[in-house]
Amino acid sequence: MRAVVLDAWGGELSVESVPDPEPGPGEGAVAADGLATPLHVAERAAIDDCETVLVVGAAGGTLPDPTLGERLREATLWSDGPTVAVDTVGDPETLDAAWEALGMGGRLVTLTTHHQRALDVPLAEYVVRERTLLGSRYATPDQVVRAARLLADGRVDAVTNGTVGLAAVPELHERIRAGEGSGAFVLEP
């Protein structure tokens, strides 16, 4: 599987791997929660090793990028676009951009509950382009346990932004809302 990660804040397209820091105490539990969701999505969308996966909103925010489709087609060397797009933002603009970026037979997975938001796609596109729209709420209990085992066995490294005290939480929320940070933190009581 080839991951194409789009940082929605800066609109950067990356196909590079990120080095994993050494996990500290408590980071495995935080990372297991973060790993269980992509594990669920991968199974829900039946992603295999030949897929190109686009993750929209991996760093949060929205995606006002009119060149997304063209950039993705350049990044997906063997097809006309990603075979799977995972939208973690849920804004109509990001859903539309992810849908338009998909190659023939692609699957769009949308996460969490977006309440009154909608994706306006003519039914003919589902048939003519053989595309699928999937919803994903959260991992199953079994997937959470499997994610924890992947971390415990050392097959996947825990990636967090560090450990913070409870007093730092309001500042972290403000930074994330301002687009200055994202990710998982271990809370230290």
Side-chain angles (χ1 to χ4, degrees):
M1 174 176 59
R2 196 167 167 238
V4 179
V5 177
L6 189 73
D7 174 345
W9 294 115
E12 294 299 317
L13 187 63
S14 171
V15 290
E16 300 172 27
S17 55
V18 178
D20 296 325
E22 289 295 318
E27 291 187 343
V30 171
D33 178 65
L35 178 59
T37 298
L39 178 63
H40 177 75
V41 168
E43 291 176 358
R44 179 101 172 87
I47 298 171
D48 67 30
D49 292 344
C50 299
E51 310 275 4
T52 299
V53 179
L54 162 68
V55 179
V56 177
T62 59
L63 179 69
D65 183 1
T67 66
L68 175 65
E70 180 181 330
R71 292 169 56 209
L72 286 170
R73 281 184 282 285
E74 290 172 7
T76 54
L77 305 176
W78 301 284
S79 69
D80 60 342
T83 50
V84 178
V86 180
D87 183 285
T88 65
V89 180
D91 286 339
E93 296 84 13
T94 61
L95 288 165
D96 287 342
W99 181 265
E100 289 304 317
L102 283 172
M104 177 73 170
R107 283 109 54 217
L108 172 59
V109 182
T110 180
L111 299 179
T112 72
T113 54
H114 306 302
H115 304 290
Q116 301 304 315
R117 297 176 184 169
L119 176 65
D120 186 21
V121 176
L123 290 177
E125 284 196 35
Y126 289 95
V127 176
V128 174
R129 296 170 88 180
E130 295 186 336
R131 291 184 175 169
T132 304
L133 175 63
L134 299 166
S136 177
R137 289 174 36 151
Y138 184 63
T140 65
D142 176 65
Q143 289 165 331
V144 174
V145 169
R146 287 178 25 227
R149 285 185 182 145
L150 287 169
L151 289 158
D153 294 346
R155 290 183 280 167
V156 177
D157 292 325
V159 178
T160 67
N161 289 340
T163 302
V164 297
L166 292 175
V169 171
E171 179 187 340
L172 287 175
H173 282 175
E174 287 304 315
R175 285 180 43 212
I176 291 169
R177 283 187 198 106
E180 298 169 2
S182 63
F185 290 86
V186 177
L187 292 179
E188 203 171 66

